[in-house]
Amino acid sequence: MEAHYYNVDISWKNNRIGEMSSTELSTKVEIATPPQFPKGVENIWSPEHLFTSAVSSCLMTTFLAIAENSKLDFLNFECKSKGKLEQVEGKFLMTEIILEPIVTIKNESEREKALKVLEKSEINCLISNSIKSEIVMIPKIIVQ
């Protein structure tokens, strides 16, 4: 496969707030310094949120592809995620991403298959494989 490029443009608006856009996408996202830092802003996406969401959303999209290829019959996928920011040797790092995917299936007989698809998805997630942060996955399978 050839290399792919994903274009993102950032524009400063005011104070600690900017706007993220892409010529490839129709929506813009407001971004800001998180409130834990000086002059940080509440209720706006931060780089730390985006970093965490990149890992979580990659797990989902990888899961969807592997589930389809594995013919896993599932009803729903959700994932809560939490990124841990720490200061290590004088630098701020996102040291850990905790993923809590919940897959809802119809039949108990599919539980093991659903877990295997989740594990394979985490192993093959290109974002997880591209970062230094520790990835912790706590999967949950619900039968409905």
Side-chain angles (χ1 to χ4, degrees), residues 29-44:
V29 176
E30 197 171 50
I31 53 174
T33 301
Q36 295 79 15
F37 289 91
K39 299 183 181 181
V41 182
E42 297 267 347
N43 298 317
I44 296 179

Side-chain angles (χ1 to χ4, degrees), residues 15-35:
N15 299 321
R16 298 289 176 103
I17 300 172
E19 189 172 73
M20 181 172 59
S21 63
S22 174
T23 56
E24 302 156 359
L25 305 171
S26 60
T27 57
K28 295 180 179 183
V29 176
E30 197 171 50
I31 53 174
T33 301

